[in-house]
Short mmCIF file of all heavy atoms in Angstrom, two decimals:
data_model
loop_
_atom_site.label_atom_id
_atom_site.label_comp_id
_atom_site.label_asym_id
_atom_site.label_seq_id
_atom_site.Cartn_x
_atom_site.Cartn_y
_atom_site.Cartn_z
N ARG A 24 97.79 169.77 83.96
CA ARG A 24 97.72 168.67 84.92
C ARG A 24 97.38 167.31 84.27
O ARG A 24 98.03 166.32 84.58
CB ARG A 24 96.67 168.96 86.00
CG ARG A 24 97.20 169.86 87.08
CD ARG A 24 96.10 170.39 87.95
NE ARG A 24 96.54 171.62 88.56
CZ ARG A 24 97.12 171.70 89.74
NH1 ARG A 24 97.28 170.63 90.45
NH2 ARG A 24 97.55 172.86 90.20
N THR A 46 90.77 152.90 95.81
CA THR A 46 91.06 152.21 97.08
C THR A 46 91.42 153.27 98.11
O THR A 46 92.33 154.05 97.88
CB THR A 46 92.24 151.24 96.88
OG1 THR A 46 91.91 150.34 95.81
CG2 THR A 46 92.54 150.44 98.14
N ALA A 48 92.86 154.52 101.63
CA ALA A 48 93.65 154.17 102.82
C ALA A 48 92.92 154.72 104.03
O ALA A 48 92.50 155.88 104.06
CB ALA A 48 95.03 154.79 102.71
N ALA A 75 101.36 160.12 100.41
CA ALA A 75 101.24 161.23 99.44
C ALA A 75 99.77 161.55 99.26
O ALA A 75 99.27 161.65 98.15
CB ALA A 75 101.89 160.81 98.12
N ASP A 76 99.06 161.73 100.37
CA ASP A 76 97.61 161.82 100.31
C ASP A 76 97.08 163.24 100.32
O ASP A 76 95.89 163.47 100.54
CB ASP A 76 96.97 160.99 101.44
CG ASP A 76 97.45 161.40 102.81
OD1 ASP A 76 98.57 161.94 102.89
OD2 ASP A 76 96.73 161.21 103.79
N VAL A 82 92.80 160.31 106.71
CA VAL A 82 93.51 159.21 107.39
C VAL A 82 94.32 159.76 108.55
O VAL A 82 95.12 160.67 108.39
CB VAL A 82 94.44 158.49 106.41
CG1 VAL A 82 95.23 157.38 107.10
CG2 VAL A 82 93.65 157.91 105.26
N ARG A 102 89.82 179.06 88.18
CA ARG A 102 90.76 178.63 87.14
C ARG A 102 90.07 177.79 86.09
O ARG A 102 89.23 176.97 86.40
CB ARG A 102 91.87 177.77 87.73
CG ARG A 102 92.66 178.37 88.82
CD ARG A 102 93.41 177.31 89.58
NE ARG A 102 93.91 176.26 88.73
CZ ARG A 102 95.21 176.15 88.40
NH1 ARG A 102 96.08 177.00 88.83
NH2 ARG A 102 95.60 175.17 87.62
N TRP A 204 88.60 177.65 93.57
CA TRP A 204 89.34 177.05 94.68
C TRP A 204 89.47 178.04 95.84
O TRP A 204 90.07 179.09 95.68
CB TRP A 204 90.73 176.62 94.18
CG TRP A 204 91.56 175.95 95.22
CD1 TRP A 204 92.27 176.53 96.23
CD2 TRP A 204 91.81 174.53 95.35
NE1 TRP A 204 92.92 175.59 96.97
CE2 TRP A 204 92.65 174.35 96.46
CE3 TRP A 204 91.37 173.41 94.63
CZ2 TRP A 204 93.09 173.10 96.86
CZ3 TRP A 204 91.81 172.17 95.03
CH2 TRP A 204 92.65 172.01 96.14
N GLY A 226 104.94 165.67 99.60
CA GLY A 226 104.03 166.55 98.86
C GLY A 226 103.14 167.34 99.81
O GLY A 226 103.50 167.65 100.94
N ASP A 227 101.93 167.66 99.33
CA ASP A 227 101.01 168.51 100.10
C ASP A 227 100.66 167.90 101.46
O ASP A 227 100.30 168.63 102.38
CB ASP A 227 99.71 168.72 99.33
CG ASP A 227 99.81 169.88 98.35
OD1 ASP A 227 100.92 170.39 98.14
OD2 ASP A 227 98.76 170.28 97.80
N PRO A 234 98.67 178.55 96.46
CA PRO A 234 98.94 178.47 95.02
C PRO A 234 99.85 179.59 94.47
O PRO A 234 100.54 179.39 93.49
CB PRO A 234 97.55 178.57 94.39
CG PRO A 234 96.64 178.02 95.42
CD PRO A 234 97.23 178.42 96.75
N GLY A 237 103.30 178.87 93.46
CA GLY A 237 103.53 178.25 92.14
C GLY A 237 104.54 177.13 92.22
O GLY A 237 105.29 176.90 91.27
N ASN A 238 104.62 176.41 93.34
CA ASN A 238 105.71 175.45 93.50
C ASN A 238 105.31 174.16 94.22
O ASN A 238 106.17 173.31 94.46
CB ASN A 238 106.85 176.14 94.26
CG ASN A 238 108.18 175.92 93.58
OD1 ASN A 238 108.83 174.92 93.85
ND2 ASN A 238 108.54 176.78 92.66
N GLY A 239 104.04 174.02 94.60
CA GLY A 239 103.65 172.84 95.39
C GLY A 239 103.88 171.53 94.67
O GLY A 239 104.41 170.57 95.25
N ALA A 240 103.52 171.49 93.39
CA ALA A 240 103.70 170.25 92.64
C ALA A 240 105.17 169.99 92.40
O ALA A 240 105.64 168.84 92.40
CB ALA A 240 102.93 170.33 91.31
N VAL A 241 105.93 171.07 92.19
CA VAL A 241 107.37 170.93 91.97
C VAL A 241 108.02 170.32 93.21
O VAL A 241 108.82 169.38 93.13
CB VAL A 241 108.01 172.31 91.65
CG1 VAL A 241 109.50 172.18 91.47
CG2 VAL A 241 107.36 172.93 90.41
C1 FAD B 1 94.68 176.61 92.44
C2 FAD B 1 96.01 175.93 92.55
C3 FAD B 1 97.08 176.28 91.73
C4 FAD B 1 98.32 175.66 91.84
N1 FAD B 1 99.35 176.01 91.00
C5 FAD B 1 100.53 175.37 91.08
C6 FAD B 1 101.61 175.71 90.20
O1 FAD B 1 101.49 176.60 89.36
N2 FAD B 1 102.79 175.04 90.32
C7 FAD B 1 102.96 174.07 91.25
O2 FAD B 1 104.05 173.47 91.31
N3 FAD B 1 101.95 173.72 92.11
C8 FAD B 1 100.76 174.34 92.03
N4 FAD B 1 99.72 174.00 92.90
C9 FAD B 1 99.98 173.01 93.95
C10 FAD B 1 99.85 171.58 93.48
O3 FAD B 1 98.58 171.36 92.88
C11 FAD B 1 99.99 170.65 94.68
O4 FAD B 1 101.10 171.05 95.46
C12 FAD B 1 100.21 169.21 94.21
O5 FAD B 1 99.06 168.74 93.55
C13 FAD B 1 100.52 168.31 95.40
O6 FAD B 1 100.65 167.00 94.96
P1 FAD B 1 100.40 165.79 95.94
O7 FAD B 1 100.61 164.57 95.10
O8 FAD B 1 101.19 165.96 97.18
O9 FAD B 1 98.88 165.91 96.40
P2 FAD B 1 97.56 165.80 95.52
O10 FAD B 1 97.80 166.26 94.13
O11 FAD B 1 96.49 166.45 96.31
O12 FAD B 1 97.29 164.22 95.44
C14 FAD B 1 96.88 163.50 96.60
C15 FAD B 1 96.17 162.26 96.12
O13 FAD B 1 95.92 161.41 97.23
C16 FAD B 1 94.60 160.90 97.14
N5 FAD B 1 94.15 160.55 98.51
C17 FAD B 1 93.87 161.39 99.53
N6 FAD B 1 93.49 160.71 100.61
C18 FAD B 1 93.55 159.41 100.27
C19 FAD B 1 93.26 158.20 100.98
N7 FAD B 1 92.87 158.20 102.23
N8 FAD B 1 93.41 157.02 100.32
C20 FAD B 1 93.82 156.99 99.02
N9 FAD B 1 94.10 158.11 98.31
C21 FAD B 1 93.96 159.29 98.93
C22 FAD B 1 93.81 162.03 96.52
O14 FAD B 1 92.63 161.53 95.91
C23 FAD B 1 94.80 162.56 95.49
O15 FAD B 1 94.73 161.86 94.27
C24 FAD B 1 98.49 174.65 92.81
C25 FAD B 1 97.42 174.27 93.65
C26 FAD B 1 96.21 174.90 93.52
C27 FAD B 1 95.07 174.50 94.44
#
Side-chain angles (χ1 to χ4, degrees):
R24 279 167 204 268
T46 304
D76 56 334
V82 177
R102 303 163 39 104
W204 182 281
D227 275 10
N238 229 272
V241 177

